[in-house]
Amino acid sequence: MNYARIIHLKKIPDSRGNLTAIEQLDDVPFEIRRVYWIFDVPGGERRGGHAYRQGQELIIALSGSFDVTTDNGRESDTFSLNRSYYGLYIPAGTWREISNFSTNAIALIVSSTDYNEEDYIRDYNEFETYAEQKQQHG
Ligand code: TYD
């Protein structure tokens, strides 16, 4: 069973301003296909509320803070992201929702796949059935 987990990214401290870099298959445990970001989120809004069949992600709070709730069908966790040198790794087959965005928060999302609506599971009941079958048959 795969679990969502925080990955500590390297931070290069500098009196001129800090720097963090990510490289595929090193800091990020997959080949990077796509990067997108979520910004200008109105107060109280939530994003996500779906799972991917194949897609893996790394979610980083580039600016501000937000919470990510993950669910692999067995266990649910909530991670508070508020540092740009922490990444939350989300394995394939994980339901995830992002909430509690602070003002000016930016969520950077690094993905292992191209955008493909067919890869989404947007119905929670369908996800539960999918996760159960995956646990039984791998
Ligand atoms: P969605 O993944 O549902 O957003 P979130 O999970 O953050 O709430 O995507 C919202 C819309 O944006 C949807 O119509 C598809 C489009 N979209 C793209 O065109 N390309 C992308 O890479 C992503 C992630 C979404």
Side-chain angles (χ1 to χ4, degrees):
M1 174 54 59
N2 272 338
Y3 290 93
R5 62 188 157 86
I6 293 285
I7 296 177
H8 291 225
L9 306 169
K10 56 183 173 279
K11 181 170 107 179
I12 299 158
D14 194 313
S15 57
R16 300 168 302 159
N18 302 327
L19 184 151
T20 290
I22 47 175
E23 293 188 23
Q24 61 181 359
L25 302 177
D26 186 0
D27 321 276
V28 182
F30 52 79
E31 287 189 25
I32 298 170
R33 286 290 303 195
R34 178 171 50 119
V35 178
Y36 63 96
W37 47 98
I38 296 170
F39 56 100
D40 287 351
V41 179
E45 284 294 348
R46 308 169 85 84
R47 299 290 312 221
H50 52 64
Y52 307 107
R53 293 180 172 83
Q54 301 292 334
Q56 305 168 64
E57 294 180 329
L58 190 76
I59 303 180
I60 300 165
L62 264 199
S63 176
S65 63
F66 47 81
D67 295 339
V68 186
T69 301
T70 62
D71 179 350
N72 62 15
R74 281 211 174 151
E75 204 176 287
S76 177
D77 288 301
T78 298
F79 299 86
S80 291
L81 297 184
N82 58 9
R83 294 278 183 263
S84 60
Y85 49 89
Y86 287 165
L88 177 62
Y89 172 64
I90 313 264
T94 307
W95 187 270
R96 63 109 169 125
E97 188 157 321
I98 313 178
S99 62
N100 279 338
F101 286 88
S102 67
T103 306
N104 293 332
I106 300 177
L108 181 79
I109 300 164
V110 178
S111 169
S112 66
T113 63
D114 292 332
Y115 170 69
N116 175 13
E117 188 57 39
E118 301 281 292
D119 194 42
Y120 282 72
I121 304 172
R122 292 189 182 273
D123 178 87
Y124 188 75
N125 290 333
E126 190 188 332
F127 166 72
E128 278 190 313
T129 306
Y130 177 85
E132 210 169 290
Q133 282 170 358
K134 212 175 157 189
Q135 277 156 24
Q136 281 166 9
H137 306 296

